[in-house]
Amino acid sequence: MPDNIYLNGFGYYAPERIITNEEMTTIVDTSDEWIVTRTGIKERHIVAPGETCSDMAYAASVKALEAAGMDATELTAIMCATITGDGVVPNMATKLQHRLGTKNTIAFDYNAACAGFVYGVHIAQGFMCTDPSHKILVVAGEVLTSRTNWDDRTTCVLFGDGAGAVVISNEQRTPAKPTALSGNAMLEGVLSSADGTGGDLLTAYGGGSAHPYKKGDVVGDEFFLYMNGREVYKYAVRNMTGICNTLMEKLGYTIDDIDVLVPHQANLRIIEAVGDRLKIDPSKVFINVHKYGNTSCASIPLALGEAVESGFIKPGMRVMLCTFGGGMTWSAAILKF
Ligand code: UT7
């Protein structure tokens, strides 16, 4: 792979409205104590009425472009990870293209569930191999609460909405007006994987072509997210740890070479279990799951953006991303800031 693929600017957006655990207790039979102990989540953000996934993706993209000092017209490709885009057609990427005022870009959506952002970095690496002059916007956005079963206490307490974006190019960029989200991170390596045998552990199949609705049908539980939490938990810990070890080995690194771990923010216990198995110092692990819950593919760019903005990630640091989601899918990347 080319040794000059850079993530240039980091953008994220979370809706204003917050649902605290306290408010959750008015929706389902739960408690702040249960949610915090089992998941680490204290609150989650949720879209306002009429606010769409592409609205959030647009807000995150504008911040990423500003941070990279890049005009949207320079973009050659826009790729959006999402399982909760505005609709089936048109895709979210073309909506973004239109709003950003770009032309002649490739623009497509893809679904790798929670692993989607790092999958996008992997796809972008492929684009850069075919043409190093590409300037790619990788966006991940999710209105998970549009597929949340608010009667199911085992899942509804877990999810939130948000979006994140980065620009990928073959150069380090120094914007005339840097923002707190500016920064250049060289992509040292990326791996992605999947195992379809675990597909039934995390589903929302209602309305798809395998389970189509007819006019007038009543939407049932099958439309909403179902998860076998215990099994997904085990799958997540095993495969996030595994892919991080494989990637470090491939690049000749040990855990001591990693300055910051940015894991998928689904559950604090998963994050801690992965950290323990990787034997990374807990102070190197970036965590914001308490503020956002599980935002699926948006969770990594939300965390990465906050880590850059807050100075948790500093120039010179080596950062490992790792994620896991329905499918099952998982992925990891190592970046050098
Ligand atoms: O992004 C994709 C990755 N997905 C994930 O990371 C999720 C992975 N899984 C998990 O994080 C955990 O499995 C959960 C947080 C979803 C659940 O934690 P758990 O420790 O596996 O709990 P459980 O499902 O085994 O449930 C334990 C008990 C049950 O009661 P009984 O049967 O023991 O009486 C549940 O009914 O907790 C009960 N329970 C709740 N109680 C209060 C389940 N949900 C709730 C709730 N409030 N919200």
Side-chain angles (χ1 to χ4, degrees), residues 72-117:
T73 55
E74 291 180 61
L75 292 171
T76 60
I78 301 173
M79 51 182 80
C80 293
T82 188
I83 59 169
T84 53
D86 296 6
V88 177
V89 179
N91 66 19
M92 192 156 82
T94 51
K95 282 192 150 190
L96 273 185
Q97 184 203 41
H98 180 57
R99 274 180 85 171
L100 290 168
T102 72
K103 285 201 167 53
N104 301 319
T105 64
I106 298 159
F108 64 95
D109 293 1
Y110 60 96
N111 172 350
C114 305
F117 177 77

Side-chain angles (χ1 to χ4, degrees), residues 30 34 38 114 153 227 229-230 264 266-267 269-270 294:
T30 190
W34 191 95
R38 303 286 176 134
C114 305
R153 68 173 183 174
M227 181 164 64
R230 284 213 168 158
H264 175 43
N267 179 319
R269 288 190 299 152
I270 294 179
N294 182 350

Side-chain angles (χ1 to χ4, degrees), residues 7 39 44 47 58 85 96 129 137 216 237 250 281 303 328 332:
L7 281 68
T39 72
R44 68 288 291 147
V47 286
Y58 175 73
L96 273 185
C129 288
L137 186 65
V237 173
K250 189 174 170 214
D281 180 339
M328 311 264 87

Side-chain angles (χ1 to χ4, degrees), residues 6-205:
Y6 291 95
L7 281 68
N8 295 124
F10 304 85
Y12 70 90
Y13 173 86
E16 265 177 45
R17 165 123 161 77
I18 289 173
I19 299 190
T20 61
N21 288 349
E22 203 50 50
E23 191 175 344
M24 271 292 168
T25 66
T26 67
I27 301 172
V28 282
D29 179 15
T30 190
S31 66
D32 177 55
E33 197 269 333
W34 191 95
I35 302 172
V36 171
T37 316
R38 303 286 176 134
T39 72
I41 298 166
K42 294 185 176 151
E43 55 191 36
R44 68 288 291 147
H45 292 241
I46 172 169
V47 286
E51 189 175 21
T52 65
C53 197
S54 67
D55 290 335
M56 295 194 302
Y58 175 73
S61 300
V62 167
K63 282 196 191 178
L65 286 160
E66 264 172 23
M70 187 182 287
D71 194 275
T73 55
E74 291 180 61
L75 292 171
T76 60
I78 301 173
M79 51 182 80
C80 293
T82 188
I83 59 169
T84 53
D86 296 6
V88 177
V89 179
N91 66 19
M92 192 156 82
T94 51
K95 282 192 150 190
L96 273 185
Q97 184 203 41
H98 180 57
R99 274 180 85 171
L100 290 168
T102 72
K103 285 201 167 53
N104 301 319
T105 64
I106 298 159
F108 64 95
D109 293 1
Y110 60 96
N111 172 350
C114 305
F117 177 77
V118 179
Y119 259 69
V121 172
H122 203 158
I123 299 167
Q125 181 198 56
F127 273 62
M128 298 302 284
C129 288
T130 59
D131 180 355
S133 69
H134 267 302
K135 293 189 169 45
I136 305 168
L137 186 65
V138 178
V139 189
E142 219 68 276
V143 184
L144 272 192
T145 58
S146 66
R147 286 273 183 158
T148 295
N149 184 344
W150 294 102
D151 295 331
D152 176 9
R153 68 173 183 174
T154 68
T155 55
C156 74
V157 300
L158 305 174
F159 304 127
D161 304 332
V166 295
V167 174
I168 294 187
S169 77
N170 68 347
E171 58 193 10
Q172 300 205 42
R173 298 181 67 95
T174 321
K177 287 187 195 156
T179 76
L181 293 163
S182 296
N184 293 297
M186 191 174 86
L187 178 63
E188 294 193 325
V190 56
L191 288 177
S192 309
S193 191
D195 174 9
T197 63
D200 289 342
L201 299 177
L202 179 41
T203 59
Y205 58 83

